[in-house]
Coordinates of all heavy atoms in Angstrom, one line a residue:
M20 N 0.9 -1.2 0.0 CA 0.0 0.0 0.0 C 0.9 1.2 0.0 O 1.8 1.3 0.8 CB -1.0 0.0 1.2 CG -1.9 1.1 1.2 SD -3.5 0.8 2.1 CE -3.0 1.1 3.7
I21 N 0.6 2.2 -0.9 CA 1.3 3.5 -0.9 C 0.3 4.5 -0.7 O -0.7 4.7 -1.4 CB 2.0 3.7 -2.3 CG1 2.9 2.7 -2.6 CG2 2.6 5.1 -2.3 CD1 3.6 2.6 -4.0
G22 N 0.5 5.2 0.4 CA -0.6 6.2 0.9 C -1.8 5.4 1.2 O -1.8 4.5 1.9
R23 N -2.9 5.7 0.5 CA -4.2 5.0 0.7 C -4.5 4.2 -0.6 O -5.8 3.9 -0.8 CB -5.2 6.1 1.1 CG -4.9 6.8 2.3 CD -6.1 7.5 2.9 NE -6.6 6.7 3.9 CZ -7.7 7.0 4.6 NH1 -8.3 8.1 4.4 NH2 -8.2 6.2 5.6
T24 N -3.6 4.0 -1.4 CA -3.7 3.1 -2.7 C -3.1 1.8 -2.5 O -1.9 1.7 -2.1 CB -3.1 3.8 -3.9 OG1 -3.8 5.1 -4.0 CG2 -3.3 3.1 -5.1
V25 N -3.9 0.8 -2.8 CA -3.4 -0.6 -2.9 C -3.1 -1.1 -4.3 O -4.1 -0.8 -5.1 CB -4.3 -1.6 -2.1 CG1 -4.0 -3.1 -2.4 CG2 -4.4 -1.3 -0.6
Q26 N -2.0 -1.7 -4.5 CA -1.7 -2.2 -5.9 C -1.7 -3.8 -5.7 O -0.9 -4.3 -5.0 CB -0.5 -1.7 -6.6 CG -0.2 -2.3 -7.9 CD 0.5 -1.6 -8.9 OE1 1.0 -0.5 -8.6 NE2 0.6 -2.0 -10.1
F27 N -2.5 -4.4 -6.6 CA -2.5 -5.8 -6.6 C -1.5 -6.2 -7.7 O -1.4 -5.5 -8.8 CB -3.8 -6.5 -7.1 CG -4.9 -6.2 -6.1 CD1 -6.2 -5.8 -6.5 CD2 -4.7 -6.2 -4.7 CE1 -7.2 -5.5 -5.6 CE2 -5.7 -5.9 -3.8 CZ -7.0 -5.6 -4.3
S28 N -0.8 -7.4 -7.5 CA 0.2 -7.8 -8.6 C -0.3 -9.1 -9.3 O -0.7 -9.0 -10.4 CB 1.5 -8.0 -8.0 OG 2.1 -6.9 -7.5
R29 N -0.2 -10.2 -8.6 CA -0.5 -11.5 -9.3 C -1.8 -12.1 -8.9 O -2.1 -12.2 -7.7 CB 0.6 -12.4 -9.1 CG 2.0 -11.9 -9.7 CD 2.1 -12.1 -11.1 NE 3.4 -11.6 -11.6 CZ 3.6 -10.4 -12.1 NH1 2.7 -9.6 -12.2 NH2 4.8 -10.1 -12.6
L30 N -2.6 -12.6 -9.8 CA -3.8 -13.3 -9.5 C -3.9 -14.6 -10.4 O -3.9 -14.4 -11.6 CB -5.0 -12.4 -9.7 CG -6.4 -13.0 -9.5 CD1 -6.6 -13.5 -8.1 CD2 -7.5 -12.0 -9.9
A31 N -4.0 -15.7 -9.9 CA -4.1 -16.9 -10.7 C -4.9 -18.0 -10.0 O -4.9 -18.2 -8.8 CB -2.7 -17.5 -11.0
V32 N -5.7 -18.7 -10.8 CA -6.6 -19.8 -10.3 C -6.2 -21.0 -11.0 O -6.0 -21.0 -12.3 CB -8.1 -19.4 -10.4 CG1 -9.0 -20.6 -10.0 CG2 -8.4 -18.2 -9.5
H33 N -6.2 -22.2 -10.3 CA -5.8 -23.4 -10.9 C -6.7 -23.7 -12.2 O -7.9 -23.5 -12.0 CB -5.9 -24.5 -9.9 CG -5.2 -25.8 -10.5 ND1 -5.9 -26.6 -11.4 CD2 -4.1 -26.5 -10.2 CE1 -5.1 -27.7 -11.7 NE2 -4.0 -27.6 -10.9
P34 N -6.2 -24.0 -13.3 CA -6.9 -24.3 -14.5 C -8.2 -25.2 -14.3 O -9.3 -25.0 -14.9 CB -6.0 -24.9 -15.6 CG -4.7 -24.4 -15.1 CD -4.7 -24.3 -13.6
A35 N -8.1 -26.1 -13.4 CA -9.1 -27.2 -13.2 C -10.4 -26.6 -12.5 O -11.4 -27.2 -12.5 CB -8.6 -28.3 -12.3
V36 N -10.2 -25.4 -11.9 CA -11.3 -24.8 -11.1 C -11.6 -23.5 -11.6 O -12.2 -22.6 -10.7 CB -11.1 -24.9 -9.5 CG1 -11.1 -26.4 -9.1 CG2 -9.7 -24.2 -9.2
R37 N -11.3 -23.1 -12.8 CA -11.7 -21.7 -13.2 C -13.1 -21.6 -13.6 O -13.8 -22.5 -13.8 CB -10.8 -21.3 -14.5 CG -9.3 -21.1 -14.0 CD -8.4 -20.8 -15.3 NE -7.0 -20.7 -14.8 CZ -6.0 -20.6 -15.5 NH1 -6.1 -20.7 -16.8 NH2 -4.8 -20.6 -15.0
R38 N -13.6 -20.4 -13.7 CA -15.0 -20.0 -14.0 C -15.9 -20.5 -12.9 O -17.1 -20.8 -13.2 CB -15.4 -20.5 -15.4 CG -14.4 -20.0 -16.5 CD -14.3 -18.4 -16.5 NE -15.4 -17.8 -17.1 CZ -15.3 -17.3 -18.4 NH1 -14.2 -17.6 -19.1 NH2 -16.3 -16.6 -18.9
R39 N -15.5 -20.5 -11.7 CA -16.4 -20.9 -10.6 C -16.5 -19.8 -9.6 O -17.0 -19.9 -8.5 CB -15.9 -22.1 -9.9 CG -15.9 -23.3 -10.8 CD -15.4 -24.6 -9.9 NE -15.2 -25.7 -10.8 CZ -14.8 -26.9 -10.3 NH1 -14.6 -27.1 -9.0 NH2 -14.5 -27.9 -11.2
G40 N -16.0 -18.6 -9.9 CA -16.1 -17.5 -9.0 C -14.9 -17.3 -8.0 O -15.1 -16.5 -7.1
I41 N -13.9 -18.1 -8.2 CA -12.8 -18.1 -7.1 C -12.0 -16.8 -7.3 O -11.7 -16.1 -6.2 CB -11.9 -19.3 -7.3 CG1 -12.6 -20.6 -6.9 CG2 -10.6 -19.1 -6.5 CD1 -11.9 -21.9 -7.2
A42 N -11.7 -16.3 -8.4 CA -11.0 -15.1 -8.6 C -11.8 -14.0 -8.1 O -11.3 -13.0 -7.4 CB -10.6 -14.8 -10.0
T43 N -13.1 -13.9 -8.3 CA -14.0 -12.9 -7.9 C -14.0 -12.9 -6.3 O -13.9 -11.8 -5.7 CB -15.3 -13.1 -8.4 OG1 -15.3 -13.1 -9.8 CG2 -16.4 -12.1 -7.9
A44 N -14.0 -14.1 -5.7 CA -13.9 -14.1 -4.2 C -12.6 -13.7 -3.7 O -12.6 -13.0 -2.7 CB -14.2 -15.6 -3.8
L45 N -11.5 -13.9 -4.4 CA -10.3 -13.5 -4.0 C -10.2 -11.9 -4.1 O -9.6 -11.2 -3.1 CB -9.1 -14.1 -4.8 CG -8.8 -15.5 -4.6 CD1 -7.9 -16.2 -5.6 CD2 -8.4 -15.8 -3.2
L46 N -10.8 -11.3 -5.1 CA -10.8 -9.9 -5.3 C -11.6 -9.2 -4.1 O -11.2 -8.2 -3.5 CB -11.4 -9.5 -6.6 CG -10.5 -9.7 -7.8 CD1 -11.2 -9.4 -9.1 CD2 -9.2 -8.8 -7.7
E47 N -12.7 -9.9 -3.8 CA -13.5 -9.4 -2.6 C -12.8 -9.4 -1.3 O -12.8 -8.5 -0.5 CB -14.8 -10.3 -2.5 CG -15.8 -9.9 -3.7 CD -17.0 -10.8 -3.7 OE1 -17.1 -11.7 -2.8 OE2 -17.8 -10.8 -4.6
A48 N -12.0 -10.5 -1.1 CA -11.3 -10.7 0.1 C -10.1 -9.6 0.2 O -9.9 -9.0 1.2 CB -10.7 -12.1 0.2
A49 N -9.4 -9.4 -1.0 CA -8.4 -8.4 -1.0 C -9.0 -7.0 -0.7 O -8.4 -6.2 0.0 CB -7.7 -8.4 -2.3
E50 N -10.2 -6.8 -1.3 CA -10.9 -5.5 -1.1 C -11.2 -5.2 0.4 O -11.0 -4.2 0.9 CB -12.2 -5.4 -2.0 CG -12.8 -4.1 -1.9 CD -13.9 -3.9 -2.9 OE1 -13.8 -4.6 -4.0 OE2 -14.9 -3.3 -2.6
T51 N -11.7 -6.3 1.0 CA -12.1 -6.2 2.5 C -10.8 -5.9 3.3 O -10.8 -5.0 4.2 CB -12.7 -7.5 2.9 OG1 -13.9 -7.7 2.2 CG2 -13.0 -7.5 4.4
E52 N -9.7 -6.6 3.0 CA -8.4 -6.4 3.7 C -7.9 -5.0 3.5 O -7.5 -4.3 4.4 CB -7.5 -7.5 3.2 CG -6.3 -7.7 4.1 CD -5.3 -8.8 3.8 OE1 -5.9 -9.9 3.4 OE2 -4.1 -8.7 3.7
G53 N -8.0 -4.6 2.2 CA -7.6 -3.2 1.9 C -8.3 -2.1 2.7 O -7.8 -1.2 3.3
T54 N -9.7 -2.4 2.7 CA -10.5 -1.4 3.4 C -10.2 -1.3 4.9 O -10.2 -0.3 5.5 CB -12.0 -1.8 3.2 OG1 -12.3 -1.8 1.8 CG2 -13.0 -0.8 3.9
E55 N -10.0 -2.5 5.4 CA -9.7 -2.6 6.9 C -8.4 -1.9 7.2 O -8.1 -1.4 8.3 CB -9.7 -4.0 7.3 CG -11.1 -4.6 7.4 CD -11.1 -6.1 7.7 OE1 -10.0 -6.8 7.7 OE2 -12.2 -6.6 7.8
A56 N -7.4 -1.9 6.2 CA -6.2 -1.3 6.4 C -6.2 0.3 6.0 O -5.2 1.0 6.1 CB -5.1 -2.0 5.5
G57 N -7.4 0.8 5.6 CA -7.5 2.2 5.4 C -7.4 2.6 3.9 O -7.3 3.8 3.7
A58 N -7.4 1.6 3.1 CA -7.3 2.0 1.6 C -8.5 2.7 1.1 O -9.6 2.4 1.5 CB -7.0 0.7 0.8
R59 N -8.3 3.6 0.1 CA -9.4 4.3 -0.6 C -9.4 3.9 -2.0 O -10.4 4.4 -2.7 CB -9.2 5.8 -0.4 CG -9.2 6.3 1.1 CD -10.5 5.9 1.8 NE -11.7 6.4 1.1 CZ -12.3 7.6 1.3 NH1 -11.7 8.4 2.1 NH2 -13.3 8.0 0.6
R60 N -8.4 3.4 -2.6 CA -8.4 3.1 -4.0 C -7.5 1.8 -4.2 O -6.5 1.5 -3.6 CB -7.6 4.3 -4.6 CG -7.6 4.3 -6.1 CD -7.2 5.7 -6.5 NE -6.7 5.8 -7.9 CZ -5.4 5.7 -8.2 NH1 -4.4 5.7 -7.3 NH2 -5.1 5.8 -9.5
L61 N -8.0 1.0 -5.1 CA -7.3 -0.2 -5.6 C -6.9 -0.1 -7.0 O -7.7 0.4 -7.9 CB -8.3 -1.5 -5.4 CG -9.0 -1.6 -4.1 CD1 -10.1 -2.6 -4.2 CD2 -8.0 -1.9 -3.0
V62 N -5.7 -0.5 -7.4 CA -5.2 -0.4 -8.7 C -4.5 -1.7 -9.1 O -4.0 -2.4 -8.3 CB -4.2 0.8 -8.9 CG1 -4.9 2.2 -8.6 CG2 -3.0 0.7 -8.1
L63 N -4.5 -2.0 -10.4 CA -3.9 -3.2 -10.9 C -3.7 -3.1 -12.4 O -4.3 -2.2 -13.0 CB -4.7 -4.5 -10.6 CG -6.1 -4.4 -11.1 CD1 -6.3 -4.9 -12.5 CD2 -7.0 -5.4 -10.2
H64 N -2.8 -4.0 -12.9 CA -2.5 -4.1 -14.4 C -3.2 -5.4 -14.8 O -2.7 -6.5 -14.4 CB -1.1 -4.1 -14.7 CG -0.4 -2.8 -14.4 ND1 1.0 -2.6 -14.4 CD2 -0.9 -1.6 -14.1 CE1 1.3 -1.3 -14.2 NE2 0.1 -0.7 -13.9
A65 N -4.3 -5.3 -15.6 CA -5.0 -6.5 -16.0 C -4.6 -6.9 -17.4 O -4.4 -6.1 -18.3 CB -6.5 -6.2 -16.0
Q66 N -4.4 -8.2 -17.6 CA -4.3 -8.7 -19.0 C -5.6 -8.5 -19.7 O -6.7 -8.7 -19.1 CB -3.9 -10.2 -19.0 CG -2.6 -10.6 -18.4 CD -2.3 -12.0 -18.5 OE1 -2.6 -12.7 -19.5 NE2 -1.5 -12.5 -17.5
T67 N -5.6 -8.0 -20.8 CA -6.8 -7.5 -21.5 C -7.8 -8.6 -21.7 O -9.0 -8.3 -21.5 CB -6.6 -6.8 -22.8 OG1 -5.7 -7.7 -23.6 CG2 -5.8 -5.5 -22.6
Y68 N -7.4 -9.8 -21.8 CA -8.4 -10.9 -21.9 C -9.2 -11.1 -20.7 O -10.4 -11.6 -20.7 CB -7.7 -12.3 -22.4 CG -7.3 -13.1 -21.1 CD1 -8.1 -14.1 -20.6 CD2 -6.1 -12.9 -20.5 CE1 -7.8 -14.8 -19.5 CE2 -5.6 -13.7 -19.4 CZ -6.5 -14.6 -18.9 OH -6.1 -15.3 -17.9
A69 N -8.6 -10.7 -19.5 CA -9.4 -10.9 -18.2 C -10.1 -9.6 -17.7 O -10.6 -9.6 -16.6 CB -8.3 -11.3 -17.2
R70 N -10.1 -8.7 -18.6 CA -10.7 -7.3 -18.3 C -12.2 -7.5 -17.6 O -12.5 -6.8 -16.6 CB -10.8 -6.4 -19.5 CG -11.3 -5.1 -19.3 CD -11.1 -4.3 -20.6 NE -11.7 -3.1 -20.5 CZ -11.5 -2.0 -21.2 NH1 -10.4 -2.1 -22.1 NH2 -12.1 -0.9 -21.2
A71 N -13.0 -8.4 -18.2 CA -14.4 -8.5 -17.7 C -14.4 -9.0 -16.2 O -15.3 -8.6 -15.5 CB -15.1 -9.5 -18.6
L72 N -13.4 -9.8 -15.9 CA -13.3 -10.2 -14.5 C -13.3 -9.0 -13.6 O -14.1 -9.0 -12.6 CB -12.0 -11.1 -14.3 CG -11.6 -11.3 -12.8 CD1 -12.6 -12.2 -12.1 CD2 -10.3 -11.9 -12.7
Y73 N -12.5 -8.1 -13.9 CA -12.3 -6.9 -13.0 C -13.5 -5.9 -13.2 O -13.8 -5.4 -12.2 CB -10.9 -6.2 -13.3 CG -9.8 -7.1 -13.1 CD1 -9.0 -7.7 -14.2 CD2 -9.4 -7.6 -11.9 CE1 -8.0 -8.6 -14.0 CE2 -8.3 -8.4 -11.6 CZ -7.7 -8.9 -12.7 OH -6.6 -9.8 -12.5
E74 N -14.0 -5.8 -14.3 CA -15.1 -4.9 -14.6 C -16.4 -5.4 -13.7 O -17.0 -4.6 -13.1 CB -15.6 -4.9 -16.0 CG -14.5 -4.1 -16.8 CD -14.7 -4.0 -18.3 OE1 -15.5 -4.9 -18.8 OE2 -14.3 -3.1 -19.0
H75 N -16.6 -6.7 -13.7 CA -17.6 -7.3 -12.9 C -17.4 -7.0 -11.4 O -18.4 -7.0 -10.6 CB -17.8 -8.8 -13.1 CG -18.3 -9.1 -14.5 ND1 -18.1 -10.3 -15.2 CD2 -19.1 -8.4 -15.3 CE1 -18.7 -10.3 -16.3 NE2 -19.3 -9.1 -16.5
A76 N -16.1 -6.9 -11.0 CA -15.8 -6.6 -9.6 C -15.8 -5.1 -9.3 O -15.4 -4.6 -8.2 CB -14.4 -7.2 -9.2
G77 N -16.2 -4.2 -10.3 CA -16.3 -2.8 -10.1 C -15.1 -2.0 -10.5 O -15.1 -0.8 -10.2
Y78 N -14.2 -2.6 -11.2 CA -13.0 -1.8 -11.7 C -13.3 -1.1 -13.0 O -14.1 -1.6 -13.8 CB -11.8 -2.7 -11.8 CG -11.2 -3.2 -10.5 CD1 -11.8 -4.2 -9.8 CD2 -10.0 -2.6 -9.9 CE1 -11.3 -4.7 -8.6 CE2 -9.5 -3.0 -8.8 CZ -10.1 -4.1 -8.1 OH -9.6 -4.5 -6.8
R79 N -12.6 0.0 -13.3 CA -12.7 0.7 -14.5 C -11.3 0.8 -15.1 O -10.3 1.1 -14.4 CB -13.2 2.2 -14.3 CG -14.6 2.1 -14.0 CD -15.1 3.7 -13.9 NE -16.5 3.8 -13.5 CZ -17.1 4.9 -13.1 NH1 -16.4 6.0 -13.3 NH2 -18.3 5.0 -12.7
A80 N -11.3 0.6 -16.4 CA -10.0 0.8 -17.2 C -9.6 2.2 -17.2 O -10.5 3.1 -17.2 CB -10.2 0.2 -18.6
R81 N -8.3 2.4 -17.3 CA -7.8 3.8 -17.2 C -6.6 3.9 -18.2 O -5.7 3.1 -18.1 CB -7.3 4.0 -15.8 CG -6.6 5.3 -15.6 CD -6.4 5.5 -14.0 NE -5.7 4.4 -13.3 CZ -4.4 4.3 -13.2 NH1 -3.6 5.3 -13.7 NH2 -3.8 3.3 -12.6
G82 N -6.6 4.8 -19.1 CA -5.5 5.0 -20.1 C -5.4 4.0 -21.1 O -6.4 3.1 -21.4
S83 N -4.3 4.0 -21.9 CA -4.1 3.1 -23.0 C -3.6 1.7 -22.7 O -3.1 1.5 -21.6 CB -3.0 3.8 -23.9 OG -3.3 5.2 -24.2
L84 N -3.8 0.8 -23.7 CA -3.2 -0.5 -23.6 C -1.7 -0.4 -23.6 O -1.2 0.5 -24.3 CB -3.7 -1.4 -24.7 CG -5.2 -1.5 -24.8 CD1 -5.6 -2.5 -25.9 CD2 -5.9 -2.0 -23.5
F85 N -1.0 -1.3 -22.9 CA 0.4 -1.4 -22.9 C 0.9 -2.8 -22.8 O 0.0 -3.7 -22.4 CB 1.0 -0.5 -21.8 CG 0.6 -0.9 -20.4 CD1 1.4 -1.8 -19.7 CD2 -0.6 -0.5 -19.8 CE1 0.9 -2.2 -18.4 CE2 -1.0 -0.9 -18.6 CZ -0.3 -1.8 -17.9
R86 N 2.1 -3.0 -23.1 CA 2.7 -4.4 -23.0 C 3.5 -4.5 -21.7 O 4.4 -3.7 -21.4 CB 3.5 -4.7 -24.3 CG 2.7 -4.8 -25.4 CD 3.3 -5.4 -26.6 NE 3.3 -6.8 -26.7 CZ 2.2 -7.6 -27.0 NH1 1.1 -7.0 -27.4 NH2 2.3 -8.9 -27.0
E87 N 3.4 -5.6 -21.0 CA 4.1 -5.9 -19.8 C 4.5 -7.4 -19.9 O 3.6 -8.2 -20.1 CB 3.3 -5.7 -18.6 CG 4.0 -5.5 -17.2 CD 3.1 -5.0 -16.2 OE1 3.0 -3.8 -15.9 OE2 2.5 -5.9 -15.5
A88 N 5.8 -7.7 -19.9 CA 6.2 -9.1 -20.0 C 5.7 -9.7 -21.4 O 5.4 -10.8 -21.4 CB 5.8 -10.0 -18.9
G89 N 5.6 -8.8 -22.4 CA 5.3 -9.3 -23.7 C 3.8 -9.5 -23.8 O 3.3 -10.1 -24.9
I90 N 2.9 -9.2 -22.8 CA 1.5 -9.5 -22.8 C 0.8 -8.1 -22.7 O 1.1 -7.3 -21.9 CB 1.1 -10.3 -21.6 CG1 1.9 -11.7 -21.6 CG2 -0.4 -10.6 -21.6 CD1 1.8 -12.4 -20.4
E91 N -0.3 -8.1 -23.5 CA -1.0 -6.8 -23.5 C -1.9 -6.6 -22.2 O -2.6 -7.5 -21.8 CB -2.1 -6.8 -24.7 CG -2.8 -5.5 -24.9 CD -3.8 -5.6 -26.1 OE1 -4.8 -6.2 -25.9 OE2 -3.4 -5.0 -27.1
H92 N -1.7 -5.4 -21.6 CA -2.4 -5.1 -20.3 C -3.1 -3.8 -20.5 O -2.9 -3.0 -21.3 CB -1.3 -4.9 -19.2 CG -0.7 -6.2 -18.7 ND1 0.1 -7.0 -19.4 CD2 -1.0 -6.9 -17.6 CE1 0.5 -8.1 -18.7 NE2 -0.2 -8.0 -17.6
V93 N -4.0 -3.6 -19.5 CA -4.6 -2.3 -19.2 C -4.7 -2.0 -17.7 O -4.8 -2.9 -17.0 CB -6.0 -2.3 -19.8 CG1 -7.0 -3.2 -19.1 CG2 -6.6 -0.9 -19.8
A94 N -4.4 -0.7 -17.4 CA -4.4 -0.4 -16.0 C -6.0 -0.2 -15.6 O -6.8 0.3 -16.4 CB -3.8 1.0 -15.8
M95 N -6.3 -0.7 -14.4 CA -7.7 -0.6 -14.0 C -7.6 -0.2 -12.5 O -6.6 -0.3 -11.7 CB -8.4 -2.0 -14.0 CG -8.4 -2.4 -15.5 SD -9.4 -3.9 -15.7 CE -11.1 -3.1 -15.8
E96 N -8.7 0.5 -12.0 CA -8.8 1.0 -10.8 C -10.2 1.0 -10.1 O -11.2 0.9 -10.9 CB -8.3 2.5 -10.6 CG -9.1 3.4 -11.4 CD -8.5 4.8 -11.4 OE1 -7.3 5.0 -11.0 OE2 -9.2 5.7 -11.9
K97 N -10.3 1.0 -8.8 CA -11.6 1.0 -8.1 C -11.5 1.9 -6.9 O -10.5 1.7 -6.1 CB -11.9 -0.4 -7.7 CG -13.3 -0.5 -7.0 CD -13.7 -2.0 -6.7 CE -15.1 -2.0 -6.1 NZ -15.5 -3.4 -5.8
E98 N -12.4 2.9 -6.9 CA -12.4 3.7 -5.6 C -13.2 3.0 -4.6 O -14.3 2.4 -4.9 CB -13.0 5.1 -6.0 CG -12.4 5.8 -7.1 CD -11.0 6.4 -6.8 OE1 -10.8 6.5 -5.6 OE2 -10.2 6.6 -7.7
L99 N -12.8 3.2 -3.3 CA -13.5 2.6 -2.2 C -14.3 3.6 -1.6 O -13.9 4.8 -1.6 CB -12.5 1.9 -1.3 CG -11.7 0.7 -1.9 CD1 -10.8 0.2 -0.8 CD2 -12.8 -0.4 -2.2
P100 N -15.4 3.3 -1.0 CA -16.4 4.4 -0.4 C -15.7 4.9 0.9 O -14.9 4.3 1.5 CB -17.6 3.6 0.0 CG -17.3 2.1 0.0 CD -16.1 2.0 -1.0
Ligands
LIG18 C1 -8.1 -14.8 -14.9 C2 -8.3 -15.8 -13.8 C3 -7.6 -15.4 -12.5 C4 -9.8 -15.9 -13.5 O1 -10.1 -16.8 -12.5 P1 -11.6 -17.4 -12.3 O2 -11.7 -17.9 -10.8 O3 -11.8 -18.3 -13.3 O4 -12.5 -16.1 -12.4 P2 -14.1 -16.0 -12.0 O5 -14.7 -17.4 -12.0 O6 -14.1 -15.2 -10.7 O7 -14.6 -15.2 -13.2 C5 -15.5 -14.1 -13.1 C6 -15.9 -13.5 -14.4 O8 -14.6 -13.0 -15.0 C7 -14.7 -13.2 -16.5 N1 -13.6 -14.1 -16.8 C8 -12.9 -15.0 -16.1 N2 -12.1 -15.7 -16.8 C9 -12.2 -15.2 -18.1 C10 -11.6 -15.6 -19.3 N3 -10.6 -16.5 -19.4 N4 -11.9 -14.9 -20.5 C11 -12.8 -13.9 -20.4 N5 -13.5 -13.6 -19.3 C12 -13.2 -14.2 -18.1 C13 -16.1 -13.7 -16.8 O9 -17.0 -12.6 -17.0 C14 -16.4 -14.4 -15.5 O10 -17.8 -14.6 -15.3 P3 -18.5 -15.9 -15.9 O11 -17.7 -17.1 -15.6 O12 -19.8 -15.7 -15.2 O13 -18.6 -15.6 -17.4 C15 -7.9 -17.2 -14.3 O14 -8.3 -17.4 -15.6 C16 -6.3 -17.4 -14.3 O15 -5.7 -17.8 -13.3 N6 -5.7 -17.2 -15.5 C17 -4.3 -17.3 -15.6 C18 -3.5 -16.2 -14.9 C19 -4.0 -14.9 -15.3 O16 -4.1 -14.6 -16.5 N7 -4.2 -14.0 -14.3 C20 -4.7 -12.7 -14.5 C21 -3.7 -11.7 -14.7 S1 -4.5 -10.0 -15.0

């Protein structure tokens, strides 16, 4: 956490159990933990194929697409109440 902003880095779910809401639950848990720590804003770099995951969790894309480790990404953020 820097100031009141939390940055998430890596998120992965075992291939055998994907599309069952596990990543969504992990995002919710991280949000709860961040809120309890006093965060007001969550930010992350999403692989563009996974953008819907974060949009469903309330994140908005910000800025242009960019490449990180050779993979297309977009910055996303969510303000906390
Ligand atoms: C991305 C990842 C973490 C998603 O985990 P998950 O537990 O399957 O995600 P959820 O079940 O919570 O998905 C919630 C929603 O996100 C979207 N979503 C998830 N995986 C998606 C995919 N591969 N393609 C498109 N949309 C996807 C869907 O809208 C999904 O809702 P639906 O299943 O009702 O359609 C998982 O596919 C993964 O580990 N991928 C490899 C590592 C990686 O790319 N990490 C993300 C880096 S940004």
Side-chain angles (χ1 to χ4, degrees):
M20 185 152 83
I21 299 173
R23 304 195 93 183
T24 298
V25 168
Q26 173 150 11
F27 298 139
S28 295
R29 299 284 181 261
L30 176 62
V32 172
H33 192 285
V36 292
R37 288 179 185 168
R38 304 306 280 261
R39 297 185 192 178
I41 294 173
T43 300
L45 288 171
L46 287 173
E47 287 171 5
E50 186 173 324
T51 298
E52 197 171 314
T54 300
E55 288 171 358
R59 300 300 305 271
R60 186 165 163 264
L61 309 171
V62 298
L63 54 85
H64 293 172
Q66 293 185 34
T67 49
Y68 89 91
R70 183 173 169 156
L72 164 69
Y73 301 106
E74 286 175 340
H75 289 155
Y78 288 78
R79 286 189 189 170
R81 169 171 61 86
S83 309
L84 303 183
F85 60 93
R86 295 190 82 78
E87 195 172 271
I90 302 168
E91 188 179 74
H92 283 75
V93 63
M95 301 191 78
E96 64 184 10
K97 179 175 183 176
E98 303 291 336
L99 297 174

